[in-house]
Amino acid sequence: MNRSLLISALLATFVLTACDNKPTVINAPAGPAGPAGAKGATGNEGVQGSQGKAGAKGETGTSGESTTVIVTPPAEPTK
């Protein structure tokens, strides 16, 4: 089983590398570019969008009774 798998892999490698297609190169004709075309027409003015209305302002929240800050000590270095 191992030899047949190895032989199949080698055979596939050789078959795929044998199909080395050469890229097609197309040479563009040498010469100066032609004259520029006519200028296009100017577009129409866009329509101004509508402005949304502002919503009602919410009530201010209440402040908490106290603030607790927990500071953890640094971890001990491993030895």
Side-chain angles (χ1 to χ4, degrees):
M1 173 82 180
N2 289 340
R3 288 185 182 173
S4 64
L5 184 62
L6 179 63
I7 291 172
S8 297
L10 288 174
L11 183 62
T13 303
F14 288 131
V15 168
L16 291 175
T17 56
C19 298
D20 186 24
N21 293 334
K22 302 290 180 196
T24 304
V25 178
I26 299 173
N27 293 325
K39 187 173 180 179
T42 304
N44 294 333
E45 180 84 17
V47 178
Q48 178 67 33
S50 63
Q51 299 291 325
K53 295 184 179 181
K57 187 173 180 180
E59 297 179 13
T60 304
T62 59
S63 60
E65 295 178 10
S66 66
T67 303
T68 304
V69 178
I70 301 174
V71 179
T72 58
E76 294 182 21
T78 57
K79 294 181 182 177

